[in-house]
Amino acid sequence: MTDGKKVLFSGMQATGNLTLGNYLGALKNWVTLCDEYECFYSVVDMHSITVRQDPAELRSRARRLMMLYIAAGIDPEKNCIYYQSHVSAHAELAWILNCLTYMGELNRMTQFKDKAAKHADNINAGLFTYPVLMAADILLYQAAVVPVGVDQMQHLELTRNIAERFNNIYGDVFTVPEAYIGKVGAKIMSLQDPSKKMSKSDENPNGSIYLMDDPDTIMRKFKRAVTDSVGEIAYRDEQPGIKNLIDIYSACTGCTPQETVRAFEGKGYGEFKPAVGEAVISVLRPLQEEFARLNKEKDYIDSVIRDNAEKARRVSGKTLRKVMRKIGYPDRIF
Ligand code: ATP
Ligand code: LTN
């Protein structure tokens, strides 16, 4: 705990282009959490190399993600935003935690199974121990809460088990974290297949709205969004395409789904779809403008990266030193 506030930790991988799902489901909600929590948001570039990356591409994506954090409104004075690879404590604690994690536990991780199937030519040990690095991320900062999507719950559960195991053997060192379930549990679905979540690694670009899409592209994607033949704007599971559009419209305008339904009562899809497009364009425009502005502020971004990494090193170093003492590494008498 710093400043009397509980610590919150989350991270995002710099793989693929961020989608409206990432924004409405994660980034947008992260912005306001610093009032209540001491927040750490990492660009988890060490996780990214568990699948093969083009070096120049990875570097530029990681930088763009850092700028997107800021453009989305995460104030780097009030939140610690940093590259995971700039803080060596992550790798050091991950090694220690690897020695406290069982093969059997990692074998049960469904994300590993999915990714191993997807990257059959590169099933590396890092992909297998990915969740241990994630545990190190969280435990280094003594995070009490971790906002993550349902797909990461299994990793969070493992983190809790590792933390409890360590504490049982060596005494209380780690805060055992809880998942943070946001008020709006927005899960944005693909515009082309509303049974699938909108995802940055989707092969069909028409299913996702990317944060940097221009207004024409956004409008075109919404006009082509898969709906149904019912022809009524209603918020029900039997109409997943329309339900998704209602969710998107509501999240962008601040209405409840019921208010959105009422506003479009008696109207057709031909009128609703462009309205959703407009709502999304209005939300993304300021973000894109801010991103473009930041893109020209190289020195400022560099200073944010430097200062925040320093803070992250200081906070995580404290936990790491404690852990090293507990497990019996020799004292550093120099
Ligand atoms: P990938 O396709 O590479 O698996 P992704 O788009 O699913 O990526 P993640 O990097 O797994 O995104 O997640 C980053 C954050 O965005 C997580 O907190 C996750 O819950 C959130 N998120 C991702 N997709 C959606 C979505 N469609 N709706 C709401 N939140 C989402
Ligand atoms: N695995 C997560 C990203 C991630 C993370 C974390 C999230 C890495 N370390 C620590 C929360 C806390 C993902 O793919 N969404």
Side-chain angles (χ1 to χ4, degrees):
M1 212 182 293
T2 346
D3 295 346
K5 286 180 183 168
K6 282 186 180 173
V7 176
L8 177 149
F9 187 98
S10 200
M12 237 188 242
Q13 289 203 55
T15 35
N17 286 321
L18 255 59
T19 70
L20 186 65
N22 298 126
Y23 179 69
L24 296 177
L27 271 189
K28 183 170 178 262
N29 306 317
W30 289 5
V31 173
T32 51
L33 289 168
C34 70
D35 295 335
E36 202 178 334
Y37 299 100
E38 169 88 14
C39 298
F40 291 82
Y41 297 119
S42 186
V43 172
V44 291
D45 47 357
M46 291 165 68
H47 278 106
S48 298
I49 63 164
T50 55
V51 302
R52 219 159 269 140
Q53 301 286 344
D54 175 77
E57 181 81 357
L58 175 62
R59 193 171 293 122
S60 115
R61 276 189 198 289
R63 175 125 182 152
R64 287 210 301 274
L65 181 54
M66 181 65 82
M67 288 195 292
L68 266 178
Y69 279 6
I70 305 171
I74 300 174
D75 182 349
E77 300 287 327
K78 295 191 186 144
N79 302 266
C80 184
I81 54 178
Y82 70 97
Y83 294 122
Q84 186 186 30
S85 66
H86 281 183
V87 182
S88 56
H90 289 254
E92 293 178 79
L93 182 63
W95 173 254
I96 295 168
L97 300 183
N98 265 320
C99 300
L100 278 154
T101 308
Y102 300 112
M103 298 286 284
E105 288 177 302
L106 293 175
N107 262 325
R108 284 197 288 277
M109 297 293 123
T110 57
Q111 181 180 289
F112 170 70
K113 290 180 206 168
D114 293 346
K115 291 212 171 169
K118 216 166 146 188
H119 304 277
D121 59 336
N122 183 21
I123 307 178
N124 62 74
L127 193 62
F128 189 62
T129 60
Y130 175 117
V132 182
L133 179 58
M134 181 164 160
D137 298 343
I138 297 166
L139 299 180
L140 273 174
Y141 299 88
Q142 305 289 354
V145 286
V146 183
V148 278
V150 275
D151 59 317
Q152 297 296 316
M153 287 301 276
Q154 204 185 20
H155 292 166
L156 193 62
E157 203 47 49
L158 178 71
T159 303
R160 291 168 53 84
N161 290 340
I162 296 173
E164 278 166 1
R165 187 170 306 148
F166 190 100
N167 287 349
N168 283 336
I169 303 173
Y170 299 107
D172 271 347
V173 172
F174 292 130
T175 302
V176 180
E178 310 256 355
Y180 177 91
I181 312 295
K183 283 179 210 99
V184 260
K187 187 170 178 197
I188 306 301
M189 311 309 278
S190 159
L191 300 183
Q192 288 298 310
D193 177 358
S195 67
K196 261 184 11 193
K197 77 164 189 167
M198 186 181 285
S199 148
K200 50 182 148 68
S201 57
D202 193 344
E203 281 118 49
N204 182 355
N206 291 323
S208 302
I209 300 292
Y210 300 105
L211 297 187
M212 291 298 145
D213 277 350
D214 60 58
D216 287 348
T217 309
I218 294 173
M219 210 38 120
R220 181 174 47 78
K221 288 181 180 176
F222 277 107
K223 285 185 180 161
R224 287 193 194 162
V226 169
T227 48
D228 52 60
S229 54
V230 178
E232 189 191 337
I233 297 168
Y235 195 67
R236 48 170 97 105
D237 292 341
E238 296 74 39
Q239 291 177 255
I242 286 295
K243 186 167 187 247
N244 188 37
L245 294 183
I246 294 172
D247 276 333
I248 294 174
Y249 185 89
S250 307
C252 289
T253 55
C255 300
T256 63
Q258 290 68 29
E259 284 164 349
T260 302
V261 169
R262 231 171 293 137
F264 288 91
E265 216 169 338
K267 306 234 164 87
Y269 296 171
E271 202 167 329
F272 183 48
K273 284 176 169 185
V276 183
E278 283 301 340
V280 170
I281 291 167
S282 308
V283 164
L284 294 188
R285 188 178 295 124
L287 189 141
Q288 294 178 352
E289 284 170 1
E290 184 60 5
F291 185 88
R293 193 184 69 77
L294 291 169
N295 212 9
K296 294 192 209 114
E297 302 270 340
K298 183 176 179 304
D299 291 348
Y300 168 68
I301 300 294
D302 287 347
S303 74
V304 164
I305 290 172
R306 199 177 42 242
D307 296 350
N308 279 284
E310 233 161 67
K311 178 176 180 193
R313 269 187 224 121
R314 197 173 61 243
V315 176
S316 60
K318 233 169 113 182
T319 304
L320 184 65
R321 279 193 297 278
K322 208 164 165 187
V323 167
M324 287 178 160
R325 221 172 24 246
K326 291 279 187 189
I327 61 169
Y329 279 0
D331 289 333
R332 297 194 185 193
I333 42 173
F334 42 84

